[in-house]
Coordinates of all heavy atoms in Angstrom, one line a residue:
M137 N 94.1 181.5 150.7 CA 92.8 180.7 150.7 C 92.0 181.1 151.9 O 92.6 181.3 153.0 CB 93.2 179.3 150.7 CG 92.0 178.4 150.5 SD 92.5 176.8 149.8 CE 92.9 175.9 151.2
D138 N 90.7 181.2 151.8 CA 89.8 181.5 152.9 C 89.8 180.4 153.9 O 90.2 179.2 153.6 CB 88.4 181.8 152.4 CG 88.3 183.1 151.7 OD1 89.0 184.0 152.2 OD2 87.6 183.2 150.7
R139 N 89.3 180.7 155.1 CA 89.1 179.6 156.1 C 88.0 178.7 155.6 O 87.1 179.1 155.0 CB 88.7 180.3 157.4 CG 89.9 180.9 158.1 CD 89.5 181.4 159.5 NE 88.1 181.6 159.7 CZ 87.6 181.7 160.9 NH1 88.4 181.7 162.0 NH2 86.3 181.8 161.1
L140 N 88.1 177.5 156.1 CA 87.1 176.5 155.7 C 85.8 176.8 156.5 O 85.9 177.1 157.7 CB 87.6 175.1 156.1 CG 86.8 173.9 155.6 CD1 86.8 174.0 154.0 CD2 87.5 172.7 156.0
R141 N 84.7 176.8 155.9 CA 83.4 177.1 156.5 C 83.0 176.0 157.4 O 83.4 174.8 157.2 CB 82.3 177.3 155.4 CG 81.0 177.8 155.9 CD 80.1 178.1 154.7 NE 79.6 176.9 154.1 CZ 78.5 176.4 154.4 NH1 77.8 176.8 155.4 NH2 78.1 175.3 153.8
T142 N 82.3 176.3 158.5 CA 81.8 175.3 159.4 C 80.3 175.3 159.4 O 79.6 176.2 159.0 CB 82.3 175.6 160.9 OG1 81.8 176.9 161.3 CG2 83.8 175.6 161.0
I143 N 79.8 174.1 159.8 CA 78.3 173.9 159.9 C 78.0 173.4 161.3 O 78.9 172.9 162.0 CB 77.8 173.0 158.8 CG1 78.5 171.6 158.9 CG2 78.0 173.5 157.4 CD1 77.9 170.5 158.0
R144 N 76.8 173.6 161.7 CA 76.3 173.1 162.9 C 75.3 171.9 162.7 O 74.4 172.1 161.9 CB 75.6 174.2 163.7 CG 75.3 173.8 165.2 CD 74.8 174.9 165.9 NE 73.5 175.4 165.3 CZ 72.8 176.3 165.8 NH1 73.1 176.9 166.8 NH2 71.7 176.6 165.1
V145 N 75.6 170.8 163.3 CA 74.8 169.6 163.2 C 74.3 169.1 164.6 O 75.0 169.4 165.6 CB 75.5 168.5 162.4 CG1 75.8 168.9 161.0 CG2 76.7 168.0 163.1
F146 N 73.2 168.4 164.6 CA 72.7 167.9 165.8 C 72.8 166.4 165.8 O 72.3 165.8 164.8 CB 71.2 168.3 166.0 CG 71.0 169.8 166.1 CD1 70.7 170.5 165.0 CD2 71.2 170.5 167.3 CE1 70.5 171.9 165.0 CE2 71.0 171.8 167.4 CZ 70.7 172.5 166.2
V147 N 73.4 165.8 166.7 CA 73.5 164.3 166.8 C 72.7 163.9 168.0 O 72.9 164.3 169.2 CB 75.0 163.9 167.0 CG1 75.0 162.3 167.2 CG2 75.9 164.4 165.9
V148 N 71.6 163.1 167.8 CA 70.7 162.7 168.8 C 70.5 161.2 168.8 O 71.0 160.5 167.9 CB 69.3 163.4 168.6 CG1 69.4 164.9 168.8 CG2 68.7 163.1 167.3
G149 N 69.9 160.7 169.8 CA 69.6 159.3 169.9 C 70.7 158.5 170.6 O 71.3 159.0 171.6
E150 N 71.1 157.3 170.2 CA 72.0 156.4 170.9 C 73.5 156.7 170.5 O 74.2 155.8 170.2 CB 71.7 155.0 170.6 CG 70.3 154.5 171.1 CD 70.2 154.5 172.6 OE1 71.3 154.4 173.3 OE2 69.1 154.7 173.1
A151 N 73.8 158.0 170.6 CA 75.3 158.4 170.5 C 75.8 158.5 171.9 O 75.1 158.7 172.9 CB 75.4 159.7 169.8
S152 N 77.2 158.3 172.0 CA 77.8 158.4 173.3 C 77.6 159.7 174.0 O 77.3 159.8 175.2 CB 79.3 158.1 173.2 OG 79.5 156.7 172.9
V153 N 77.8 160.8 173.2 CA 77.6 162.1 173.7 C 76.7 162.9 172.7 O 77.2 163.7 171.9 CB 78.9 162.9 173.9 CG1 78.8 164.2 174.6 CG2 79.9 162.0 174.7
P154 N 75.4 162.8 172.7 CA 74.5 163.5 171.8 C 74.6 165.0 172.1 O 74.9 165.4 173.2 CB 73.1 163.0 172.1 CG 73.2 162.0 173.3 CD 74.7 161.9 173.6
G155 N 74.4 165.8 171.1 CA 74.4 167.2 171.2 C 74.6 167.9 169.9 O 74.5 167.4 168.8
T156 N 74.9 169.2 170.0 CA 75.2 170.1 168.9 C 76.7 170.2 168.6 O 77.4 170.4 169.6 CB 74.6 171.5 169.1 OG1 73.2 171.4 169.5 CG2 74.8 172.4 167.9
Y157 N 77.1 170.0 167.4 CA 78.5 170.0 167.1 C 78.7 170.9 165.9 O 78.0 171.0 164.9 CB 79.0 168.6 166.7 CG 78.9 167.7 167.9 CD1 77.8 166.9 168.1 CD2 80.0 167.6 168.7 CE1 77.8 166.1 169.2 CE2 80.0 166.7 169.8 CZ 78.8 166.0 170.1 OH 78.8 165.2 171.2
T158 N 79.8 171.7 166.0 CA 80.3 172.6 164.9 C 81.4 171.8 164.2 O 82.5 171.6 164.8 CB 80.7 173.9 165.4 OG1 79.6 174.5 166.1 CG2 81.2 174.8 164.3
I159 N 81.2 171.5 162.9 CA 82.2 170.7 162.2 C 82.4 171.3 160.8 O 81.7 172.2 160.4 CB 81.7 169.2 162.1 CG1 80.4 169.1 161.4 CG2 81.7 168.5 163.4 CD1 79.9 167.7 161.2
S160 N 83.4 170.9 160.1 CA 83.8 171.3 158.8 C 82.6 171.1 157.8 O 81.9 170.1 157.9 CB 85.0 170.6 158.3 OG 85.1 170.7 156.9
S161 N 82.5 172.0 156.9 CA 81.4 171.9 155.9 C 81.6 170.7 154.9 O 80.8 170.4 154.2 CB 81.3 173.2 155.1 OG 82.5 173.5 154.4
L162 N 82.8 170.1 155.0 CA 83.1 169.0 154.2 C 82.9 167.7 154.9 O 83.2 166.6 154.4 CB 84.6 169.0 153.7 CG 85.0 170.3 152.9 CD1 86.5 170.3 152.6 CD2 84.2 170.4 151.6
S163 N 82.3 167.7 156.1 CA 82.2 166.6 157.0 C 81.0 165.7 156.5 O 80.1 166.1 155.8 CB 81.8 167.0 158.4 OG 83.0 167.6 158.9
T164 N 81.2 164.4 156.9 CA 80.2 163.4 156.5 C 79.5 162.8 157.8 O 79.9 163.3 158.9 CB 80.9 162.2 155.8 OG1 81.8 161.6 156.6 CG2 81.6 162.7 154.5
V165 N 78.6 161.9 157.6 CA 77.9 161.3 158.7 C 78.9 160.6 159.7 O 78.8 160.8 160.9 CB 76.9 160.3 158.3 CG1 76.3 159.5 159.4 CG2 75.8 160.9 157.4
I166 N 79.9 160.0 159.2 CA 81.0 159.3 160.0 C 81.7 160.4 160.9 O 81.9 160.2 162.1 CB 82.0 158.5 159.2 CG1 81.3 157.3 158.7 CG2 83.2 158.2 159.9 CD1 81.2 156.2 159.7
N167 N 82.0 161.5 160.3 CA 82.7 162.6 161.0 C 81.8 163.1 162.2 O 82.3 163.3 163.3 CB 83.0 163.8 160.1 CG 84.0 163.4 159.0 OD1 83.6 163.6 157.8 ND2 85.1 162.9 159.3
A168 N 80.5 163.3 162.0 CA 79.6 163.7 163.0 C 79.5 162.7 164.1 O 79.5 163.0 165.3 CB 78.3 164.1 162.4
L169 N 79.4 161.4 163.7 CA 79.3 160.4 164.7 C 80.6 160.3 165.5 O 80.6 160.0 166.7 CB 79.0 159.0 164.0 CG 78.7 157.9 164.9 CD1 77.4 158.2 165.7 CD2 78.4 156.6 164.0
F170 N 81.7 160.5 164.9 CA 83.0 160.5 165.6 C 83.1 161.6 166.6 O 83.5 161.4 167.7 CB 84.2 160.6 164.6 CG 85.5 160.6 165.2 CD1 86.1 159.4 165.7 CD2 86.2 161.7 165.3 CE1 87.3 159.4 166.3 CE2 87.5 161.8 165.9 CZ 88.0 160.6 166.4
A171 N 82.6 162.8 166.2 CA 82.6 163.9 167.1 C 81.7 163.7 168.3 O 82.0 164.1 169.4 CB 82.1 165.2 166.3
A172 N 80.7 162.9 168.1 CA 79.8 162.5 169.2 C 80.2 161.3 170.0 O 79.5 160.8 170.9 CB 78.4 162.3 168.7
G173 N 81.4 160.8 169.8 CA 82.0 159.7 170.5 C 81.5 158.3 170.0 O 81.7 157.3 170.7
G174 N 80.9 158.3 168.9 CA 80.5 157.0 168.3 C 79.1 156.6 168.9 O 78.6 157.3 169.7
P175 N 78.6 155.4 168.5 CA 77.4 155.0 169.1 C 77.6 154.5 170.6 O 78.6 154.1 170.9 CB 77.0 153.8 168.2 CG 78.3 153.3 167.6 CD 79.2 154.5 167.5
S176 N 76.5 154.7 171.3 CA 76.6 154.2 172.7 C 76.6 152.7 172.7 O 76.4 152.1 171.7 CB 75.4 154.8 173.5 OG 74.2 154.2 173.0
K177 N 76.7 152.1 173.9 CA 76.7 150.6 173.9 C 75.3 150.1 173.5 O 75.2 148.9 173.1 CB 77.1 150.1 175.2 CG 76.2 150.2 176.4 CD 76.7 149.6 177.6 CE 75.7 149.5 178.7 NZ 76.2 148.8 179.9
N178 N 74.3 150.9 173.5 CA 72.9 150.4 173.1 C 72.7 150.8 171.6 O 71.8 150.4 171.0 CB 71.8 151.1 173.9 CG 71.9 150.6 175.3 OD1 72.2 149.5 175.6 ND2 71.5 151.5 176.2
G179 N 73.6 151.6 171.0 CA 73.5 152.0 169.6 C 74.1 151.1 168.6 O 74.7 150.1 169.0
S180 N 73.9 151.4 167.4 CA 74.4 150.6 166.3 C 74.7 151.4 165.1 O 74.2 152.5 164.9 CB 73.3 149.6 165.9 OG 73.6 148.9 164.7
L181 N 75.6 150.9 164.2 CA 75.9 151.6 163.0 C 75.0 151.1 161.9 O 75.1 151.5 160.7 CB 77.4 151.4 162.6 CG 78.4 152.1 163.5 CD1 79.8 151.6 163.1 CD2 78.3 153.6 163.4
R182 N 74.2 150.1 162.2 CA 73.3 149.5 161.2 C 72.1 150.3 160.8 O 71.6 150.2 159.7 CB 72.8 148.2 161.7 CG 73.8 147.1 161.8 CD 73.9 146.4 160.5 NE 74.8 145.3 160.5 CZ 75.4 144.7 159.5 NH1 75.1 145.2 158.3 NH2 76.2 143.7 159.6
K183 N 71.7 151.2 161.7 CA 70.4 151.9 161.4 C 70.6 153.4 161.8 O 70.2 153.8 162.9 CB 69.3 151.3 162.1 CG 67.9 151.9 161.7 CD 66.8 151.1 162.3 CE 65.5 151.6 161.9 NZ 64.4 150.9 162.5
I184 N 71.2 154.2 161.0 CA 71.5 155.6 161.3 C 70.5 156.4 160.4 O 70.4 156.1 159.2 CB 72.9 156.0 161.0 CG1 73.8 155.3 162.0 CG2 73.1 157.5 161.1 CD1 75.2 155.6 161.9
R185 N 69.8 157.3 161.0 CA 68.8 158.1 160.2 C 69.4 159.5 160.0 O 69.8 160.2 161.0 CB 67.5 158.2 160.9 CG 66.8 156.8 160.8 CD 65.5 156.8 161.5 NE 64.6 157.8 160.8 CZ 63.4 158.1 161.3 NH1 62.9 157.5 162.3 NH2 62.7 159.0 160.7
L186 N 69.4 160.0 158.8 CA 69.8 161.4 158.5 C 68.6 162.2 158.2 O 67.8 161.8 157.3 CB 70.7 161.3 157.3 CG 71.2 162.7 156.7 CD1 72.0 163.4 157.8 CD2 72.0 162.5 155.4
L187 N 68.3 163.2 159.0 CA 67.2 164.0 158.9 C 67.6 165.4 158.4 O 68.5 166.0 159.0 CB 66.4 164.2 160.2 CG 66.0 162.9 160.9 CD1 65.5 163.2 162.3 CD2 65.0 162.2 160.0
R188 N 67.0 165.8 157.3 CA 67.2 167.2 156.8 C 65.9 167.9 156.7 O 64.8 167.3 156.6 CB 67.8 167.1 155.4 CG 69.2 166.6 155.4 CD 69.9 166.7 154.1 NE 71.3 166.4 154.3 CZ 72.1 165.9 153.4 NH1 71.5 165.5 152.2 NH2 73.3 165.6 153.6
H189 N 66.0 169.2 156.9 CA 64.8 170.1 157.0 C 63.7 169.8 155.9 O 62.5 169.6 156.2 CB 65.2 171.5 157.0 CG 64.1 172.5 157.1 ND1 63.3 172.6 158.3 CD2 63.5 173.4 156.3 CE1 62.3 173.5 158.1 NE2 62.5 174.0 156.9
A190 N 64.1 169.8 154.7 CA 63.1 169.8 153.6 C 62.9 168.5 152.9 O 62.3 168.4 151.9 CB 63.4 170.9 152.6
S191 N 63.5 167.4 153.4 CA 63.4 166.2 152.7 C 63.0 165.0 153.7 O 63.1 165.2 154.9 CB 64.7 165.8 152.0 OG 65.7 165.8 152.9
A192 N 62.7 163.9 153.1 CA 62.3 162.7 153.9 C 63.6 162.1 154.6 O 64.7 162.3 154.1 CB 61.7 161.7 153.0
P193 N 63.4 161.5 155.7 CA 64.6 160.9 156.4 C 65.3 159.8 155.5 O 64.6 159.1 154.7 CB 64.0 160.2 157.6 CG 62.7 160.8 157.8 CD 62.2 161.3 156.5
V194 N 66.6 159.7 155.6 CA 67.4 158.7 154.9 C 68.0 157.8 155.9 O 68.6 158.2 156.9 CB 68.5 159.4 154.1 CG1 69.4 158.4 153.4 CG2 67.9 160.4 153.1
E195 N 67.8 156.5 155.7 CA 68.4 155.5 156.6 C 69.7 155.0 156.0 O 69.7 154.6 154.9 CB 67.4 154.4 156.8 CG 67.7 153.6 158.1 CD 66.5 152.7 158.5 OE1 65.5 153.3 158.9 OE2 66.7 151.5 158.4
L196 N 70.7 155.0 156.9 CA 72.1 154.6 156.4 C 72.5 153.4 157.2 O 72.2 153.2 158.4 CB 73.1 155.7 156.6 CG 72.7 157.1 156.0 CD1 73.6 158.1 156.5 CD2 72.7 157.0 154.5
D197 N 73.3 152.5 156.6 CA 74.0 151.4 157.2 C 75.5 151.6 157.1 O 76.0 151.4 156.0 CB 73.5 150.1 156.6 CG 74.2 148.8 157.3 OD1 75.0 149.0 158.2 OD2 73.8 147.7 156.9
L198 N 76.1 152.1 158.1 CA 77.5 152.4 158.0 C 78.5 151.2 158.5 O 79.7 151.4 158.5 CB 77.8 153.6 158.9 CG 77.2 154.9 158.4 CD1 77.4 156.1 159.3 CD2 77.6 155.2 157.0
Y199 N 77.9 150.1 158.7 CA 78.7 148.9 159.1 C 79.7 148.5 158.0 O 80.8 148.2 158.3 CB 77.8 147.8 159.5 CG 78.5 146.7 160.2 CD1 79.0 146.8 161.5 CD2 78.7 145.5 159.6 CE1 79.7 145.8 162.2 CE2 79.4 144.4 160.2 CZ 79.9 144.6 161.5 OH 80.6 143.6 162.1
S200 N 79.2 148.6 156.8 CA 80.1 148.2 155.7 C 81.3 149.2 155.5 O 82.4 148.8 155.1 CB 79.3 148.2 154.4 OG 78.8 149.5 154.1
F201 N 81.2 150.4 156.0 CA 82.3 151.3 156.0 C 83.4 150.9 157.0 O 84.6 150.9 156.6 CB 81.8 152.7 156.4 CG 82.9 153.7 156.6 CD1 83.6 154.2 155.5 CD2 83.4 154.1 157.9 CE1 84.6 155.1 155.7 CE2 84.4 155.0 158.0 CZ 85.0 155.5 156.9
L202 N 83.0 150.4 158.1 CA 84.0 149.9 159.1 C 84.6 148.6 158.6 O 85.8 148.3 158.9 CB 83.3 149.7 160.5 CG 83.0 151.0 161.2 CD1 82.3 150.7 162.5 CD2 84.2 151.9 161.4
Q203 N 83.8 147.7 158.0 CA 84.3 146.4 157.6 C 85.3 146.5 156.4 O 86.3 145.8 156.4 CB 83.1 145.5 157.2 CG 82.3 145.1 158.3 CD 83.0 144.1 159.2 OE1 84.1 144.3 159.7 NE2 82.3 143.0 159.5
G204 N 85.0 147.3 155.4 CA 85.8 147.3 154.2 C 86.1 148.7 153.6 O 86.6 148.7 152.5
G205 N 85.7 149.7 154.2 CA 85.9 151.1 153.7 C 85.0 151.5 152.6 O 85.2 152.5 151.9
E206 N 83.8 150.9 152.5 CA 82.8 151.2 151.6 C 82.1 152.6 152.0 O 81.4 152.6 153.0 CB 81.7 150.1 151.5 CG 80.6 150.4 150.6 CD 81.0 150.6 149.1 OE1 81.8 149.8 148.7 OE2 80.5 151.5 148.5
K207 N 82.4 153.6 151.2 CA 81.9 155.0 151.6 C 80.7 155.4 150.9 O 80.3 156.6 151.0 CB 83.1 156.0 151.3 CG 84.2 155.8 152.2 CD 85.2 156.9 152.0 CE 84.7 158.1 152.8 NZ 85.6 159.2 153.0
A208 N 80.0 154.5 150.2 CA 78.8 154.9 149.4 C 77.7 155.5 150.3 O 77.0 156.4 149.9 CB 78.3 153.7 148.6
Q209 N 77.6 154.9 151.5 CA 76.5 155.4 152.4 C 76.9 156.6 153.2 O 76.1 157.2 153.9 CB 76.1 154.3 153.3 CG 75.5 153.1 152.6 CD 74.0 153.0 152.8 OE1 73.5 153.5 153.7 NE2 73.4 152.5 151.8
D210 N 78.2 157.0 153.2 CA 78.7 158.0 154.1 C 78.5 159.4 153.4 O 79.4 159.8 152.7 CB 80.2 157.8 154.4 CG 80.6 158.7 155.5 OD1 79.8 159.3 156.3 OD2 81.9 158.9 155.7
V211 N 77.3 160.0 153.5 CA 77.0 161.2 152.8 C 77.5 162.5 153.5 O 77.6 162.5 154.7 CB 75.5 161.3 152.5 CG1 75.0 160.2 151.6 CG2 74.7 161.3 153.8
R212 N 77.7 163.5 152.7 CA 78.1 164.8 153.2 C 76.9 165.5 154.0 O 75.7 165.3 153.6 CB 78.6 165.8 152.1 CG 79.8 165.3 151.6 CD 81.0 166.3 151.4 NE 80.8 167.6 151.5 CZ 81.1 168.5 150.5 NH1 81.6 168.1 149.4 NH2 81.0 169.8 150.7
L213 N 77.2 166.2 155.0 CA 76.2 166.9 155.8 C 76.0 168.3 155.4 O 76.8 168.9 154.7 CB 76.6 166.9 157.3 CG 76.8 165.5 157.9 CD1 77.4 165.6 159.3 CD2 75.5 164.7 157.9
Q214 N 74.8 168.8 155.7 CA 74.5 170.2 155.5 C 74.1 170.9 156.8 O 73.8 170.3 157.7 CB 73.3 170.3 154.5 CG 73.5 169.6 153.2 CD 72.2 169.5 152.4 OE1 71.2 169.9 152.8 NE2 72.3 169.0 151.2
D215 N 74.3 172.2 156.8 CA 74.0 173.0 158.0 C 72.5 172.9 158.3 O 71.7 172.9 157.5 CB 74.4 174.5 157.7 CG 74.5 175.2 159.0 OD1 74.5 174.6 160.1 OD2 74.7 176.5 158.9

């Protein structure tokens, strides 16, 4: 089996350690946020914006994921 492809994502805003991260191509928003150390003390999981090059921003509320494991809002990332 081939190696798993990686993608590069940018985590900006109220993350503990914002920056560029190289993660698995199967990663989701939660994985990227975890790589960035989670939200800072001023940040929140209630209003996360996913920006992609060719589409409008998507606003996510990941609090329900932490409360009960609801993964509907945890979308896969693209390079």
Side-chain angles (χ1 to χ4, degrees):
M137 191 155 83
D138 286 324
R139 288 186 340 164
L140 193 59
R141 191 172 72 90
T142 59
I143 59 174
R144 189 174 61 176
V145 296
F146 301 94
V147 179
V148 297
E150 295 295 335
S152 291
V153 186
T156 304
Y157 293 91
T158 302
I159 56 178
S160 160
S161 61
L162 302 175
S163 294
T164 63
V165 174
I166 286 285
N167 299 122
L169 190 58
F170 180 76
S176 68
K177 72 177 189 176
N178 294 329
S180 171
L181 291 174
R182 290 273 185 198
K183 190 174 181 180
I184 295 183
R185 291 182 57 188
L186 175 63
L187 305 172
R188 291 191 169 146
H189 178 67
S191 59
V194 176
E195 198 164 292
L196 307 169
D197 181 357
L198 295 177
Y199 191 71
S200 60
F201 174 74
L202 290 179
Q203 291 289 51
E206 176 63 41
K207 293 187 78 168
Q209 296 257 329
D210 193 18
V211 296
R212 291 227 346 235
L213 298 175
Q214 299 173 357
D215 199 9

